[in-house]
């Protein structure tokens, strides 16, 4: 059997829009596969969409109650059998450093009742991993995979926001992180960002004022100003100050953003935080759900020359932190009832056994059950961080 590096080499030499065809040919050659299909999670994280040239002829499958969805949720291979055809389909998670992209489904002929050989399944996992890395790189140069993520058309503001995000989940030995925005196809002001180095994890959660493209432009300005300051090696206070100046210089205080800025020190669990607005933080420790009270400071861009003061607390192994925007707190039911803090705490508690990347989607689905299917008055953001410690 060829080494996995041969597959990786073939993928790297392929044109960006041809990498699925290349991996399909390689798997068919190595294992005699009957079919090979790549399914990518849509923006709402509720469907797995087949990759192919538009218009799509294959129907999407549910993340919640399908065989590919089981592999996607558990992040482990899952096999489904067709006894009449003497075939088994292995569904393999396609993920990069904890960022869940989708599922690779490979149909093989087997003897009745037999399982795929362990070495075959392991090789298919290696193929799925290699494909995941190439999909991330290829998205810079082709729209094929971005088009596959769309269960419906994105608004222009949502297009701008999704392109701004670092991903929807990531993982390292010290932590696991996941986030989701709703309404996924019509977001405008909420955003999140993260970046890790050897010893630090930076996380920001933003809620820009306004609607539509104006809100998306404001958030883009702020996030890129924060990135510019962070990449210059500046302190958290200086990052907030320079982003504040960038937004104020552009809008003169007429537009601003509520933002939470964090720096987690990976070796110790020390946390430096600046609370510049309305997103809130909750902690689950030892089964107890409680808000973390922070000193509220001015939103970024509201006033000129605002000085920001960091606060400090510590996370312990086993802690879960949730960062939640005001679109969750202020959501109204069709009867005008506000989503209560008690309901939010219950939602946090009910998802405590789920891995961090799954929590935001489930919590936002529960929020949708409260709000109803009508248009949202504001977009909503939930981010979940599980702290394991070094």
């Amino acid at each position: 059997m060829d080494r996995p590096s041969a597959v990786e080499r073939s993928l790297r030499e392929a044109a960006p829009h041809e990498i699925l065809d290349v991996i399909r040919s390689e798997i068919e050659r190595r294992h005699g596969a009957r079919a090979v299909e790549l399914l990518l999670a849509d923006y709402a994280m509720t469907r797995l969409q087949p990759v192919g040239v538009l218009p799509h002829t294959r129907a999407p499958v549910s993340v919640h109650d399908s065989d590919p969805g089981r592999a996607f949720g558990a992040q482990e291979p899952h096999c489904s059998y067709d006894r009449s055809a003497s075939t088994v389909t292995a569904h393999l998670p396609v993920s990069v450093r904890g960022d869940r992209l989708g599922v690779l489904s490979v149909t093989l002929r087997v003897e009745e009742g037999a399982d795929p050989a362990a070495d075959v399944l392991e090789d298919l996992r290696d193929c799925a991993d290699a494909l995941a890395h190439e999909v991330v790189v290829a998205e810079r140069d082709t729209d094929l995979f971005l088009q596959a993520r769309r269960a419906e058309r994105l608004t222009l503001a949502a297009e701008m926001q999704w392109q701004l995000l670092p991903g929807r989940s990531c993982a390292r030995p010290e932590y696991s992180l996941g986030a989701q925005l709703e309404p996924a196809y019509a977001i405008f002001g909420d955003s999140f960002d993260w970046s890790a180095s050897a010893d630090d994890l930076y996380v920001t959660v933003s809620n820009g004022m306004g609607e539509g493209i104006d809100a998306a432009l404001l958030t883009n300005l702020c996030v890129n100003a924060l990135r510019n300051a962070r990449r210059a090696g500046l302190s958290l206070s200086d990052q907030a100050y320079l982003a504040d100046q960038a937004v104020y210089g552009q809008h003169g205080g007429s537009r601003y953003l509520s933002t939470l800025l964090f720096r987690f020190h990976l070796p110790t669990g020390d946390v430096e935080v600046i609370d510049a607005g309305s997103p809130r933080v909750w902690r689950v420790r030892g089964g107890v759900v409680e808000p973390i009270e922070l000193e509220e400071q001015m939103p970024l861009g509201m006033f000129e020359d605002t000085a920001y003061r960091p606060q400090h607390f510590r996370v312990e192994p086993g802690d879960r932190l949730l960062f939640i925007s005001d679109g969750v707190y202020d959501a109204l039911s069709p009867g005008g009832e506000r989503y209560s803090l008690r309901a939010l705490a219950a939602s946090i508690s009910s998802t405590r056994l789920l891995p961090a990347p799954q929590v935001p989607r489930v919590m936002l689905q529960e929020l949708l059950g409260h709000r109803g299917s009508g248009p949202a008055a504001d977009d909503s953001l939930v981010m979940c961080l599980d702290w394991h410690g070094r």
Side-chain angles (χ1 to χ4, degrees):
M1 186 178 293
D2 295 339
R3 294 177 300 168
S5 59
V7 173
E8 295 170 358
R9 186 164 54 249
S10 297
L11 288 171
R12 290 169 185 166
E13 293 172 353
H17 63 281
E18 293 177 341
I19 62 173
L20 178 56
D21 295 330
V22 169
I23 200 72
R24 181 181 289 119
S25 296
E26 286 286 342
I27 292 175
E28 289 173 350
R29 179 179 65 83
R30 294 154 74 97
H31 303 295
R34 303 285 298 274
V36 179
E37 185 175 44
L38 175 61
L39 305 167
L40 294 180
D42 84 314
Y43 286 105
M45 296 289 279
T46 59
R47 305 177 188 177
L48 292 167
Q49 305 261 123
V51 174
V53 178
L54 293 177
H56 296 305
T57 56
R58 285 285 311 276
V61 299
S62 171
V63 166
H64 308 293
D65 54 4
S66 66
D67 289 317
R70 290 184 64 177
F72 183 78
Q75 288 295 286
E76 292 289 341
H78 174 72
C79 294
S80 56
Y81 298 86
D82 185 341
R83 307 294 182 189
S84 62
S86 297
T87 61
V88 59
T89 300
H91 306 284
L92 307 124
V94 177
S95 304
V96 179
R97 297 186 179 91
D99 192 9
R100 304 176 176 208
L101 307 180
V103 173
L104 181 67
S105 296
V106 180
T107 301
L108 306 168
R109 179 176 289 278
V110 293
E111 297 296 330
E112 184 175 355
D115 293 324
D119 60 335
V120 171
L121 200 58
E122 186 62 29
D123 187 65
L124 292 177
R125 292 194 70 164
D126 291 338
C127 290
D129 289 342
L131 177 61
H133 283 269
E134 291 306 315
V135 166
V136 172
V137 175
E139 285 184 341
R140 300 180 307 180
D141 303 310
T142 179
D143 288 335
L144 177 66
F145 304 104
L146 293 172
Q147 288 173 332
R149 299 177 191 276
R150 297 160 194 242
E152 56 188 87
R153 183 169 180 175
L154 288 174
T155 65
L156 178 54
E159 184 87 48
M160 296 166 64
Q161 291 295 74
W162 282 114
Q163 290 299 304
L164 185 66
L165 301 177
R168 282 183 288 186
S169 55
C170 69
R172 272 181 53 171
E174 298 90 347
Y175 62 84
S176 179
L177 185 61
Q180 180 64 16
L181 298 166
E182 286 290 344
Y185 292 87
I187 54 172
F188 31 84
D190 285 4
S191 186
F192 56 85
D193 195 23
W194 55 65
S195 178
S197 63
D199 287 332
D200 293 306
L201 168 67
Y202 289 92
V203 174
T204 61
V205 178
S206 299
N207 179 12
M209 67 179 298
E211 298 182 359
I213 294 175
D214 287 341
L217 287 170
L218 178 65
T219 301
N220 268 258
L221 172 62
C222 179
V223 169
N224 280 292
L226 288 169
R227 287 174 175 172
N228 179 256
R230 184 185 72 225
R231 291 165 184 170
L234 301 183
S235 68
L236 201 67
S237 295
D238 286 340
Q239 292 175 33
Y241 176 79
L242 290 181
D244 174 71
Q245 290 300 290
V247 176
Y248 185 86
Q250 185 69 24
H251 298 287
S254 63
R255 306 185 72 81
Y256 46 85
L257 297 96
S258 299
T259 305
L260 282 170
L261 298 89
F262 293 87
R263 182 183 69 85
F264 294 84
H265 190 231
L266 301 179
T268 64
D270 288 332
V271 184
E272 184 181 14
V273 56
I274 293 174
D275 181 357
S278 61
R280 304 183 195 178
V281 189
W282 291 70
R283 178 176 60 205
V284 183
R285 174 179 290 174
V288 177
V289 179
E290 58 186 354
I292 295 180
E293 300 297 337
L294 300 170
E295 177 192 352
E296 291 188 19
Q297 302 178 60
M298 292 298 105
L300 302 182
M302 179 174 281
F303 298 107
E304 190 174 13
D305 289 328
T306 303
Y308 292 93
R309 300 175 305 278
Q311 298 175 256
H312 296 267
F313 65 93
R314 176 171 289 190
V315 285
E316 299 176 356
D319 280 359
R320 166 169 287 181
L321 298 182
L322 292 113
F323 315 95
I324 300 172
S325 73
D326 60 0
V328 175
Y329 297 98
D330 295 338
L332 299 177
S333 71
E337 181 183 358
R338 198 172 188 177
Y339 196 63
S340 68
L341 295 182
R342 177 177 296 180
L344 177 61
S347 179
I348 294 172
S349 181
S350 69
T351 56
R352 67 188 183 280
L353 299 181
L354 294 177
Q358 291 188 31
V359 171
R361 174 177 58 83
V362 173
M363 288 186 62
L364 288 170
Q365 284 295 114
E366 292 183 5
L367 176 68
L368 182 62
H370 168 83
R371 185 176 59 77
S373 58
D378 192 9
D379 41 4
S380 304
L381 181 158
V382 174
M383 178 188 290
C384 180
L385 169 66
D386 281 349
W387 185 260
H388 312 305
R390 178 167 293 183

